[in-house]
Amino acid sequence: MSSTLTPLSRRRFVQALGAGTLAASAPGILRAQKGARVIVIGAGLSGLAAALVLQDAGVKVKVIEGRQRVGGRIMSIRSLPGNPEAGGTSFGPGYARLVNAAKTYNVGLVELTPVLRYYGTRELFLDGQHIPLNEWPDHPRNPFPTDARKTPPWRYIAGVTAKANPLKTTDAWVDPANAGLDISYYDWLKAQGQSDAIIDLAYNIEPTHGSSAHDVSALMMMQVASFIAAQRSLAVPGQSPFLTAAGGNQSIPEAMAGALNQEIEFGRNVESIRSENDLAEVHCADGTIYKADYVICSVPCPVLRRIHMEPLLTGAQARAVQTLDSQIINQAHMRAKTPFWEADGKAPNMFSDGLVCNLVGEHKGQTPAEVSSLTAWIRGHNAALLDQMPEADAKAAIIADIERLRPAAKGQLEIVEYKSWYRDPFSSGDWAVWQPGQIAGFANAVAQPNGRVHFCGEHTAVSNRGMEGAMESGERVALEVLNRT
Ligand SMILES: Cc1cc2nc3c(=O)[nH]c(=O)nc-3n(C[C@H](O)[C@H](O)[C@H](O)COP(=O)(O)OP(=O)(O)OC[C@H]3O[C@@H](n4cnc5c(N)ncnc54)[C@H](O)[C@@H]3O)c2cc1C
């Protein structure tokens, strides 16, 4: 059974609408569905956004969730001061749907302007050595061209991509006309004149997508650049370009969940979904079976490939579910017994080619200057390496790496929360990473309905990314379902 919204009309639709404008803008589509029953799998942002749109339209909707909490890949660490984020970290005023949800469900927003300068200051460590930034322009490890020698490694590559980005709109990445750009980011950067030394230093040490520039599509990185540019252009003059939610970002999905008429059922680990002529069934590991007119499934592809689907997914969509992976990323949230950064006279934040590519001092305390906790980010191959270890060994390796570079930190750090998103069976990674060829191969097929089963989730978003992408996809899938009944 095919969708009444083709990929292109889906794209036009999600560009045009944002939450809150939905009911007013599409009265013809939003008919009250008194009899329809919909099961939504997943209480992350996309599932909750879908459920709330359906509920507003009069549909009987129930959300079921495998974990014991809402939020999915949004997870605020409530055991540390200021609730640092282990998942979705920050957003901007251009996240129209997310900001609207916060306002609708009375979640306060926190402007990050007073603390931005602290997050922006990083110490550079290469080959185990500290390189003061004033020595960086003339340092022998600096591979950048003359006009960029002052640029620190973590700022360089996004600038190159933004400057040469041929995409004019945030949805152009799924336009078949751009399929020729679905090559490796590495090949594209080389074609822009970037050397191997530059790509290694400025991307492969701290890969935001994939484990290096070789296994991520240039087209995806162009969409990232387009989305960032669009967000900047939507920033409200005089207001902070970065926001978080009071109580941690998890407060937003929690408040959305609180607005549902039917309580979410937790601990329902979905193992199979069956679509028949007149109904759909969802089977959970604990033996619970749900029957509904329609099912909305919000789980990411690496999780979905473990759920048995009847009828089987076919063609490009089957390939998407089997091969679209999510970013491997680990975090350690730490408390410092003493401010070791004061002892060694450096900012707590680091960029390093060691195990911990990014150490962040969180500024979520009483005053902007206060370091309330520290977060170690580990990405790519290093994260995959940690995932091979027992958790205690992984934590010890993280601490040892920081102490190696910062002797003043010796014995001062305690890991309060360690998170491997890849080892979490309900996520199996972070955001979707489109490898070279995958966008042209199946980006327009990944969200096709399969009988009575419809799909949403950040990986199905077209015009937005991350948390706003999840919200966009929830809205789109709710309209797909409403449009069918
Ligand atoms: C470290 C990190 C940093 C991030 N930073 C940002 C950022 O700064 N800005 C930004 O915009 N985005 C960021 N993101 C991305 C953003 O958090 C996600 O894109 C978004 O939250 C995804 O929402 P979703 O609804 O698509 O998926 P999810 O949140 O993953 O929701 C899916 C839900 O389905 C449930 N589920 C899975 N399998 C099953 C099953 N078998 N049975 C029942 N339930 C199941 C899950 O438990 C989950 O609750 C970040 C993510 C991470 C991890």
Side-chain angles (χ1 to χ4, degrees):
M1 210 178 292
S2 68
S3 167
T4 48
L5 286 178
T6 63
L8 272 177
S9 66
R10 176 162 62 94
R11 194 146 32 114
R12 257 183 247 122
F13 171 77
V14 293
Q15 276 182 310
L17 297 179
T21 59
L22 202 56
S25 311
I29 302 175
L30 288 183
R31 296 181 296 268
Q33 310 297 316
K34 294 262 184 282
R37 295 164 309 149
V38 177
I39 293 290
V40 175
I41 302 170
L45 279 181
S46 63
L48 292 168
L52 286 166
V53 172
L54 290 168
Q55 178 176 289
D56 283 353
V59 172
K60 290 175 192 142
V61 56
K62 175 166 277 301
V63 178
I64 61 172
E65 166 58 48
R67 293 178 169 114
Q68 295 295 340
R69 64 169 181 87
V70 301
R73 280 171 279 170
I74 298 182
M75 181 182 162
S76 307
I77 309 292
R78 262 71 188 253
S79 51
L80 278 169
N83 316 298
E85 308 294 345
T89 307
S90 69
F91 49 95
Y95 279 53
R97 296 167 179 84
L98 191 69
V99 169
N100 186 67
K103 288 188 176 152
T104 304
Y105 305 112
N106 299 316
V107 178
L109 295 178
V110 180
E111 294 212 355
L112 296 180
T113 309
V115 295
L116 281 183
R117 72 188 176 95
Y118 299 105
Y119 284 98
T121 310
R122 289 172 90 177
E123 304 284 348
L124 173 60
F125 286 84
L126 295 177
D127 307 319
Q129 300 299 314
H130 178 240
I131 304 172
L133 282 186
N134 61 0
E135 293 175 18
W136 177 237
D138 300 318
H139 197 274
R141 280 294 310 271
N142 189 329
F144 298 147
T146 317
D147 61 349
R149 293 191 69 80
K150 284 187 186 161
T151 309
W154 54 90
R155 292 232 177 87
Y156 182 83
I157 214 84
V160 168
T161 309
K163 209 166 160 191
N165 184 6
L167 303 188
K168 301 284 176 252
T169 56
T170 59
D171 64 346
W173 68 295
V174 290
D175 187 336
N178 289 317
L181 297 165
D182 197 10
I183 58 173
S184 84
Y185 192 35
Y186 173 85
D187 286 344
W188 183 78
L189 287 169
K190 289 289 279 188
Q192 306 306 307
Q194 305 302 322
S195 67
D196 283 330
I198 288 180
I199 298 169
D200 272 345
L201 179 73
Y203 192 77
N204 295 344
I205 287 178
E206 193 182 17
T208 54
H209 298 78
S211 58
S212 75
H214 293 276
D215 59 15
V216 59
S217 169
L219 198 44
M220 159 154 223
M221 299 310 290
M222 290 167 192
Q223 198 238 353
V224 173
S226 302
F227 180 64
I228 292 170
Q231 287 298 315
R232 288 213 175 112
S233 73
L234 290 168
V236 182
Q239 277 183 25
S240 176
F242 295 103
L243 302 166
T244 54
N249 291 338
Q250 205 175 320
S251 303
I252 301 178
E254 284 167 351
M256 291 166 77
L260 289 170
N261 295 336
Q262 287 203 54
E263 287 202 357
I264 296 172
E265 293 193 20
F266 292 100
R268 302 287 194 237
N269 179 7
V270 173
E271 286 189 331
S272 67
I273 309 170
R274 186 187 304 160
S275 175
E276 295 178 357
N277 281 343
D278 52 355
L279 71 107
E281 273 183 8
V282 176
H283 295 238
C284 303
D286 65 1
T288 314
I289 299 173
Y290 297 92
K291 293 178 193 291
D293 295 323
Y294 297 99
V295 169
I296 290 176
C297 180
S298 76
V299 312
C301 286
V303 178
L304 187 55
R305 71 184 68 141
R306 295 194 292 268
I307 295 177
H308 178 68
M309 194 85 65
E310 236 179 86
L312 289 174
L313 298 177
T314 58
Q317 189 176 24
R319 289 197 299 283
V321 170
Q322 288 308 317
T323 61
L324 179 62
D325 283 328
S326 299
Q327 181 70 12
I328 300 183
I329 207 161
N330 297 5
Q331 281 190 346
H333 289 263
M334 296 169 287
R335 198 179 272 135
K337 291 176 195 153
T338 60
F340 66 83
W341 50 93
E342 288 176 10
D344 70 11
K346 300 179 180 70
N349 303 356
M350 302 197 300
F351 172 97
S352 136
D353 58 356
L355 178 70
V356 178
C357 62
N358 184 12
L359 181 69
V360 178
E362 302 285 356
H363 289 264
K364 293 171 179 280
Q366 298 299 315
T367 61
E370 180 189 338
V371 178
S372 44
S373 64
L374 293 118
T375 309
W377 291 69
I378 301 102
R379 296 171 186 266
H381 291 297
N382 286 340
L385 187 74
L386 288 186
D387 281 344
Q388 304 297 314
M389 301 180 186
E391 190 171 308
D393 293 0
K395 287 178 176 174
I398 290 168
I399 299 274
D401 188 61
I402 298 169
E403 291 181 348
R404 174 178 70 90
L405 300 173
R406 310 283 293 263
K410 206 154 188 60
Q412 300 309 307
L413 288 169
E414 176 204 354
I415 296 182
V416 176
E417 187 82 35
Y418 174 68
K419 181 76 190 162
S420 160
W421 284 100
Y422 180 75
R423 280 169 60 159
D424 183 328
F426 293 110
S427 297
S428 295
D430 191 336
W431 43 77
V433 176
W434 297 83
Q435 295 199 17
Q438 289 190 326
I439 296 172
F442 46 66
N444 282 324
V446 69
Q448 273 166 14
N450 186 41
R452 291 177 169 268
V453 184
H454 291 246
F455 300 94
C456 63
E458 160 267 345
H459 61 288
T460 69
V462 171
S463 293
N464 294 279
R465 298 195 46 75
M467 295 184 269
E468 185 65 5
M471 297 290 292
E472 170 202 302
S473 75
E475 219 174 80
R476 183 264 308 153
V477 81
L479 279 151
E480 268 178 22
V481 170
L482 287 171
N483 220 15
R484 281 183 70 173
T485 51

